[in-house]
mmCIF file of all heavy atoms in Angstrom:
data_model
loop_
_atom_site.group_PDB
_atom_site.id
_atom_site.type_symbol
_atom_site.label_atom_id
_atom_site.label_comp_id
_atom_site.label_asym_id
_atom_site.label_seq_id
_atom_site.Cartn_x
_atom_site.Cartn_y
_atom_site.Cartn_z
ATOM 1 N N TYR A 1 2.143 -3.108 1.654
ATOM 2 C CA TYR A 1 1.259 -2.236 2.476
ATOM 3 C C TYR A 1 0.866 -2.983 3.773
ATOM 4 O O TYR A 1 0.975 -2.468 4.888
ATOM 5 C CB TYR A 1 -0.047 -1.871 1.724
ATOM 6 C CG TYR A 1 -1.147 -1.283 2.545
ATOM 7 C CD1 TYR A 1 -0.994 0.070 2.701
ATOM 8 C CD2 TYR A 1 -2.211 -1.847 3.112
ATOM 9 C CE1 TYR A 1 -2.014 0.769 3.662
ATOM 10 C CE2 TYR A 1 -3.155 -1.342 3.966
ATOM 11 C CZ TYR A 1 -3.018 0.000 4.067
ATOM 12 O OH TYR A 1 -3.943 0.596 4.893
ATOM 13 N N ILE A 2 0.476 -4.176 3.751
ATOM 14 C CA ILE A 2 0.178 -4.971 4.959
ATOM 15 C C ILE A 2 1.314 -5.131 5.764
ATOM 16 O O ILE A 2 1.282 -4.880 7.043
ATOM 17 C CB ILE A 2 -0.391 -6.371 4.470
ATOM 18 C CG1 ILE A 2 -1.878 -6.266 3.867
ATOM 19 C CG2 ILE A 2 -0.511 -7.296 5.758
ATOM 20 C CD1 ILE A 2 -2.237 -7.462 3.107
ATOM 21 N N TRP A 3 2.596 -5.432 5.196
ATOM 22 C CA TRP A 3 3.789 -5.594 5.982
ATOM 23 C C TRP A 3 4.069 -4.290 6.802
ATOM 24 O O TRP A 3 4.371 -4.385 7.933
ATOM 25 C CB TRP A 3 4.950 -6.051 5.103
ATOM 26 C CG TRP A 3 6.182 -6.012 5.753
ATOM 27 C CD1 TRP A 3 7.106 -4.981 5.804
ATOM 28 C CD2 TRP A 3 6.834 -7.054 6.477
ATOM 29 N NE1 TRP A 3 8.245 -5.394 6.618
ATOM 30 C CE2 TRP A 3 8.076 -6.668 7.002
ATOM 31 C CE3 TRP A 3 6.280 -8.355 6.892
ATOM 32 C CZ2 TRP A 3 8.794 -7.533 7.861
ATOM 33 C CZ3 TRP A 3 7.110 -9.213 7.527
ATOM 34 C CH2 TRP A 3 8.382 -8.831 8.049
ATOM 35 N N TYR A 4 4.004 -3.142 6.014
ATOM 36 C CA TYR A 4 4.344 -1.898 6.688
ATOM 37 C C TYR A 4 3.295 -1.471 7.672
ATOM 38 O O TYR A 4 3.636 -0.843 8.697
ATOM 39 C CB TYR A 4 4.518 -0.739 5.699
ATOM 40 C CG TYR A 4 5.761 -0.971 4.885
ATOM 41 C CD1 TYR A 4 5.723 -0.754 3.515
ATOM 42 C CD2 TYR A 4 6.979 -1.133 5.460
ATOM 43 C CE1 TYR A 4 6.879 -0.989 2.782
ATOM 44 C CE2 TYR A 4 8.169 -1.326 4.694
ATOM 45 C CZ TYR A 4 8.194 -1.143 3.330
ATOM 46 O OH TYR A 4 9.243 -1.383 2.550
ATOM 47 N N GLN A 5 1.976 -1.779 7.403
ATOM 48 C CA GLN A 5 1.007 -1.431 8.376
ATOM 49 C C GLN A 5 1.224 -2.194 9.690
ATOM 50 O O GLN A 5 1.036 -1.653 10.737
ATOM 51 C CB GLN A 5 -0.422 -1.846 7.781
ATOM 52 C CG GLN A 5 -1.549 -1.368 8.768
ATOM 53 C CD GLN A 5 -2.942 -1.775 8.123
ATOM 54 O OE1 GLN A 5 -3.014 -2.520 7.188
ATOM 55 N NE2 GLN A 5 -3.867 -0.984 8.588
ATOM 56 N N TYR A 6 1.609 -3.460 9.549
ATOM 57 C CA TYR A 6 1.782 -4.372 10.753
ATOM 58 C C TYR A 6 2.799 -3.850 11.612
ATOM 59 O O TYR A 6 2.834 -3.851 12.848
ATOM 60 C CB TYR A 6 2.007 -5.767 10.308
ATOM 61 C CG TYR A 6 2.369 -6.666 11.426
ATOM 62 C CD1 TYR A 6 1.340 -7.203 12.213
ATOM 63 C CD2 TYR A 6 3.671 -7.147 11.744
ATOM 64 C CE1 TYR A 6 1.606 -8.099 13.365
ATOM 65 C CE2 TYR A 6 3.936 -7.988 12.745
ATOM 66 C CZ TYR A 6 2.902 -8.418 13.520
ATOM 67 O OH TYR A 6 3.176 -9.251 14.641
ATOM 68 N N HIS A 7 3.933 -3.282 10.896
ATOM 69 C CA HIS A 7 5.093 -2.706 11.569
ATOM 70 C C HIS A 7 4.949 -1.227 11.835
ATOM 71 O O HIS A 7 5.980 -0.685 12.285
ATOM 72 C CB HIS A 7 6.312 -3.055 10.783
ATOM 73 C CG HIS A 7 6.668 -4.434 10.731
ATOM 74 N ND1 HIS A 7 7.241 -5.122 11.796
ATOM 75 C CD2 HIS A 7 6.493 -5.415 9.742
ATOM 76 C CE1 HIS A 7 7.394 -6.442 11.505
ATOM 77 N NE2 HIS A 7 6.850 -6.575 10.222
ATOM 78 N N VAL A 8 3.862 -0.768 11.649
ATOM 79 C CA VAL A 8 3.536 0.716 12.050
ATOM 80 C C VAL A 8 4.651 1.667 11.363
ATOM 81 O O VAL A 8 5.285 2.430 12.067
ATOM 82 C CB VAL A 8 3.357 1.095 13.550
ATOM 83 C CG1 VAL A 8 2.943 2.442 13.724
ATOM 84 C CG2 VAL A 8 2.567 -0.049 14.161
ATOM 85 N N ASP A 9 4.777 1.526 10.003
ATOM 86 C CA ASP A 9 5.811 2.153 9.242
ATOM 87 C C ASP A 9 5.089 3.108 8.382
ATOM 88 O O ASP A 9 4.261 2.676 7.676
ATOM 89 C CB ASP A 9 6.705 1.190 8.600
ATOM 90 C CG ASP A 9 7.993 1.661 7.911
ATOM 91 O OD1 ASP A 9 7.865 2.868 7.422
ATOM 92 O OD2 ASP A 9 8.877 0.946 7.871
ATOM 93 N N VAL A 10 5.533 4.368 8.288
ATOM 94 C CA VAL A 10 4.953 5.335 7.450
ATOM 95 C C VAL A 10 5.087 4.892 5.930
ATOM 96 O O VAL A 10 4.183 5.404 5.066
ATOM 97 C CB VAL A 10 5.533 6.789 7.614
ATOM 98 C CG1 VAL A 10 6.966 6.715 7.081
ATOM 99 C CG2 VAL A 10 4.752 7.831 6.960
ATOM 100 N N ARG A 11 5.991 4.040 5.555
ATOM 101 C CA ARG A 11 6.026 3.545 4.192
ATOM 102 C C ARG A 11 4.751 2.841 3.743
ATOM 103 O O ARG A 11 4.525 2.538 2.532
ATOM 104 C CB ARG A 11 7.276 2.673 4.075
ATOM 105 C CG ARG A 11 8.550 3.468 4.126
ATOM 106 C CD ARG A 11 9.755 2.705 3.987
ATOM 107 N NE ARG A 11 9.986 1.798 5.194
ATOM 108 C CZ ARG A 11 11.004 1.104 5.430
ATOM 109 N NH1 ARG A 11 11.919 0.947 4.395
ATOM 110 N NH2 ARG A 11 11.108 0.526 6.588
ATOM 111 N N LEU A 12 3.945 2.449 4.641
ATOM 112 C CA LEU A 12 2.526 1.916 4.250
ATOM 113 C C LEU A 12 1.901 2.776 3.356
ATOM 114 O O LEU A 12 1.122 2.335 2.419
ATOM 115 C CB LEU A 12 1.717 1.436 5.459
ATOM 116 C CG LEU A 12 1.003 2.552 6.221
ATOM 117 C CD1 LEU A 12 -0.528 2.802 5.704
ATOM 118 C CD2 LEU A 12 0.942 2.219 7.713
ATOM 119 N N TRP A 13 2.054 4.026 3.505
ATOM 120 C CA TRP A 13 1.302 5.023 2.607
ATOM 121 C C TRP A 13 1.860 5.024 1.196
ATOM 122 O O TRP A 13 1.201 5.239 0.317
ATOM 123 C CB TRP A 13 1.176 6.448 3.314
ATOM 124 C CG TRP A 13 0.423 6.413 4.549
ATOM 125 C CD1 TRP A 13 1.049 6.514 5.823
ATOM 126 C CD2 TRP A 13 -0.871 5.978 4.782
ATOM 127 N NE1 TRP A 13 -0.070 6.413 6.718
ATOM 128 C CE2 TRP A 13 -1.205 6.095 6.109
ATOM 129 C CE3 TRP A 13 -1.896 5.738 3.918
ATOM 130 C CZ2 TRP A 13 -2.416 5.813 6.714
ATOM 131 C CZ3 TRP A 13 -3.169 5.426 4.375
ATOM 132 C CH2 TRP A 13 -3.397 5.434 5.834
ATOM 133 N N VAL A 14 3.242 4.958 1.116
ATOM 134 C CA VAL A 14 3.813 4.871 -0.203
ATOM 135 C C VAL A 14 3.418 3.591 -0.936
ATOM 136 O O VAL A 14 2.921 3.545 -2.129
ATOM 137 C CB VAL A 14 5.271 4.800 -0.037
ATOM 138 C CG1 VAL A 14 5.971 4.727 -1.473
ATOM 139 C CG2 VAL A 14 5.695 6.203 0.547
ATOM 140 N N ALA A 15 3.232 2.446 -0.175
ATOM 141 C CA ALA A 15 2.696 1.243 -0.796
ATOM 142 C C ALA A 15 1.233 1.401 -1.278
ATOM 143 O O ALA A 15 0.894 0.954 -2.251
ATOM 144 C CB ALA A 15 2.914 0.042 0.203
ATOM 145 N N SER A 16 0.550 2.086 -0.392
ATOM 146 C CA SER A 16 -0.852 2.325 -0.752
ATOM 147 C C SER A 16 -0.940 3.190 -1.969
ATOM 148 O O SER A 16 -1.898 2.930 -2.822
ATOM 149 C CB SER A 16 -1.535 2.932 0.465
ATOM 150 O OG SER A 16 -2.969 3.270 0.189
ATOM 151 N N LEU A 17 -0.199 4.169 -2.003
ATOM 152 C CA LEU A 17 -0.203 5.102 -3.358
ATOM 153 C C LEU A 17 0.075 4.185 -4.568
ATOM 154 O O LEU A 17 -0.737 4.237 -5.574
ATOM 155 C CB LEU A 17 0.951 6.157 -3.227
ATOM 156 C CG LEU A 17 0.605 7.459 -2.601
ATOM 157 C CD1 LEU A 17 1.862 8.250 -2.327
ATOM 158 C CD2 LEU A 17 -0.209 8.286 -3.479
ATOM 159 N N ILE A 18 1.079 3.416 -4.452
ATOM 160 C CA ILE A 18 1.572 2.580 -5.649
ATOM 161 C C ILE A 18 0.294 1.643 -5.960
ATOM 162 O O ILE A 18 -0.044 1.330 -7.009
ATOM 163 C CB ILE A 18 2.846 1.838 -5.338
ATOM 164 C CG1 ILE A 18 3.981 2.890 -5.298
ATOM 165 C CG2 ILE A 18 3.098 0.764 -6.488
ATOM 166 C CD1 ILE A 18 5.292 2.368 -4.813
ATOM 167 N N MET A 19 -0.135 0.807 -4.862
ATOM 168 C CA MET A 19 -1.135 -0.039 -5.046
ATOM 169 C C MET A 19 -2.526 0.563 -5.718
ATOM 170 O O MET A 19 -3.058 -0.069 -6.567
ATOM 171 C CB MET A 19 -1.501 -0.809 -3.778
ATOM 172 C CG MET A 19 -2.601 -1.779 -3.801
ATOM 173 S SD MET A 19 -3.080 -2.518 -2.198
ATOM 174 C CE MET A 19 -3.717 -1.060 -1.306
ATOM 175 N N SER A 20 -2.836 1.721 -5.207
ATOM 176 C CA SER A 20 -3.905 2.360 -5.681
ATOM 177 C C SER A 20 -3.865 2.658 -7.187
ATOM 178 O O SER A 20 -4.884 2.524 -7.923
ATOM 179 C CB SER A 20 -4.194 3.659 -4.848
ATOM 180 O OG SER A 20 -4.459 3.474 -3.527
ATOM 181 N N CYS A 21 -2.775 3.190 -7.539
ATOM 182 C CA CYS A 21 -2.391 3.431 -9.020
ATOM 183 C C CYS A 21 -2.747 2.239 -9.859
ATOM 184 O O CYS A 21 -3.473 2.319 -10.965
ATOM 185 C CB CYS A 21 -1.165 3.976 -9.285
ATOM 186 S SG CYS A 21 -0.779 5.765 -8.606
ATOM 187 N N PHE A 22 -2.241 1.204 -9.419
ATOM 188 C CA PHE A 22 -2.366 -0.209 -10.125
ATOM 189 C C PHE A 22 -3.894 -0.544 -10.246
ATOM 190 O O PHE A 22 -4.410 -0.817 -11.355
ATOM 191 C CB PHE A 22 -1.587 -1.281 -9.661
ATOM 192 C CG PHE A 22 -0.164 -1.210 -10.069
ATOM 193 C CD1 PHE A 22 0.775 -1.069 -8.996
ATOM 194 C CD2 PHE A 22 0.273 -1.323 -11.336
ATOM 195 C CE1 PHE A 22 2.116 -0.936 -9.251
ATOM 196 C CE2 PHE A 22 1.593 -1.200 -11.629
ATOM 197 C CZ PHE A 22 2.596 -1.121 -10.643
ATOM 198 N N TYR A 23 -4.583 -0.448 -9.160
ATOM 199 C CA TYR A 23 -5.996 -0.947 -9.144
ATOM 200 C C TYR A 23 -6.916 0.003 -9.664
ATOM 201 O O TYR A 23 -7.910 -0.336 -10.423
ATOM 202 C CB TYR A 23 -6.387 -1.188 -7.670
ATOM 203 C CG TYR A 23 -5.862 -2.675 -7.397
ATOM 204 C CD1 TYR A 23 -4.900 -2.712 -6.392
ATOM 205 C CD2 TYR A 23 -6.303 -3.775 -7.987
ATOM 206 C CE1 TYR A 23 -4.357 -4.024 -6.052
ATOM 207 C CE2 TYR A 23 -5.778 -4.988 -7.640
ATOM 208 C CZ TYR A 23 -4.769 -5.142 -6.694
ATOM 209 O OH TYR A 23 -4.247 -6.365 -6.388
ATOM 210 N N ILE A 24 -6.718 1.395 -9.748
ATOM 211 C CA ILE A 24 -7.333 2.323 -10.366
ATOM 212 C C ILE A 24 -7.377 1.974 -11.966
ATOM 213 O O ILE A 24 -8.452 1.928 -12.667
ATOM 214 C CB ILE A 24 -6.872 3.757 -10.214
ATOM 215 C CG1 ILE A 24 -7.306 4.229 -8.890
ATOM 216 C CG2 ILE A 24 -7.571 4.789 -11.415
ATOM 217 C CD1 ILE A 24 -6.618 5.456 -8.446
ATOM 218 N N ALA A 25 -6.172 1.678 -12.478
ATOM 219 C CA ALA A 25 -6.075 1.290 -13.980
ATOM 220 C C ALA A 25 -6.731 -0.031 -14.161
ATOM 221 O O ALA A 25 -7.510 -0.121 -15.207
ATOM 222 C CB ALA A 25 -4.539 1.233 -14.232
ATOM 223 N N ILE A 26 -6.631 -0.918 -13.242
ATOM 224 C CA ILE A 26 -7.289 -2.264 -13.514
ATOM 225 C C ILE A 26 -8.781 -2.120 -13.586
ATOM 226 O O ILE A 26 -9.556 -2.551 -14.479
ATOM 227 C CB ILE A 26 -6.893 -3.373 -12.436
ATOM 228 C CG1 ILE A 26 -5.353 -3.752 -12.547
ATOM 229 C CG2 ILE A 26 -7.777 -4.455 -12.432
ATOM 230 C CD1 ILE A 26 -4.922 -4.337 -11.367
ATOM 231 N N TYR A 27 -9.370 -1.455 -12.542
ATOM 232 C CA TYR A 27 -10.836 -1.232 -12.449
ATOM 233 C C TYR A 27 -11.316 -0.423 -13.567
ATOM 234 O O TYR A 27 -12.495 -0.765 -14.052
ATOM 235 C CB TYR A 27 -11.343 -0.801 -11.157
ATOM 236 C CG TYR A 27 -11.187 -1.978 -10.065
ATOM 237 C CD1 TYR A 27 -10.422 -1.779 -8.869
ATOM 238 C CD2 TYR A 27 -11.710 -3.183 -10.238
ATOM 239 C CE1 TYR A 27 -10.133 -2.807 -7.968
ATOM 240 C CE2 TYR A 27 -11.587 -4.276 -9.299
ATOM 241 C CZ TYR A 27 -10.898 -4.010 -8.136
ATOM 242 O OH TYR A 27 -10.732 -4.984 -7.315
ATOM 243 N N LEU A 28 -10.701 0.634 -13.923
ATOM 244 C CA LEU A 28 -11.219 1.438 -14.988
ATOM 245 C C LEU A 28 -11.203 0.609 -16.402
ATOM 246 O O LEU A 28 -12.067 0.722 -17.173
ATOM 247 C CB LEU A 28 -10.409 2.682 -15.150
ATOM 248 C CG LEU A 28 -10.508 3.794 -14.222
ATOM 249 C CD1 LEU A 28 -9.535 5.019 -14.495
ATOM 250 C CD2 LEU A 28 -12.027 4.354 -14.264
#
């Protein structure tokens, strides 16, 4: 996510989607 954000790449949102799923499971 950070890499793609730095490079202004739309794939940052895909990485954010994936990251969010993992952290939702962790925090729940």
Side-chain angles (χ1 to χ4, degrees):
Y1 172 82
I2 292 167
W3 176 265
Y4 291 134
Q5 184 181 21
Y6 178 77
H7 292 285
V8 192
D9 188 324
V10 71
R11 289 179 285 185
L12 75 96
W13 297 113
V14 176
S16 180
L17 269 168
I18 294 167
M19 179 182 66
S20 296
C21 291
F22 284 116
Y23 282 113
I24 288 169
I26 291 167
Y27 286 124
L28 284 176

